[in-house]
Amino acid sequence: ALETCGLRDFLPFVCRFCGKKFCQDHADAEKHSCSAQLESKGVLATICSRCGATVKWQDGQSSEAEALQQHVCPVNAKSDSAEMCPAPGCKTKMNTMNSVVCGECRSK
């Protein structure tokens, strides 16, 4: 579909914005100067620093700060005490890397 390319592709790519067919080199909307391309990046996400939940928002309709402000942490969110090693006297925070065996005290 790109007149300047001239490449005949037997399995062309279809642009998701304009619906035209392009070779692999020009399939990306920016490569063929797609006039139907939206400026929006779609749905974006970040992690809540308080509860660890994924917070999503629609680009162009909201911002990260607004999405985090509207986010309500669940009641059963992890607390700092739940992330600590259960061994008496150990102050190591548990995470995915040491959730089975504590790296400091070797407690299971």
Side-chain angles (χ1 to χ4, degrees):
L2 193 62
E3 294 82 21
T4 58
C5 179
L7 181 67
R8 298 271 183 200
D9 200 338
F10 292 105
L11 294 172
F13 291 86
V14 178
C15 175
R16 65 183 179 138
F17 299 108
C18 65
K20 294 180 182 177
K21 296 177 182 179
F22 295 96
C23 67
Q24 184 177 4
D25 294 338
H26 297 103
D28 190 59
E30 293 158 359
K31 299 278 177 127
H32 65 265
S33 302
C34 184
S35 58
Q37 182 182 12
L38 301 174
E39 293 297 321
S40 174
K41 294 178 183 172
V43 177
L44 300 173
T46 190
I47 303 294
C48 176
S49 60
R50 292 175 289 170
C51 68
T54 302
V55 180
K56 300 177 184 176
W57 73 94
Q58 185 73 32
D59 185 41
Q61 296 176 0
S62 184
S63 68
E64 180 178 355
E66 291 171 348
L68 286 170
Q69 188 176 19
Q70 293 173 0
H71 168 68
V72 178
C73 293
V75 176
N76 60 354
K78 297 178 191 174
S79 65
D80 284 341
S81 61
E83 295 177 10
M84 299 301 284
C85 176
C90 186
K91 304 259 189 235
T92 304
K93 284 192 174 187
M94 303 303 280
N95 57 37
T96 56
M97 298 301 289
N98 66 352
S99 62
V100 178
V101 177
C102 176
E104 294 294 318
C105 69
R106 298 288 179 213
S107 177
K108 291 185 180 183

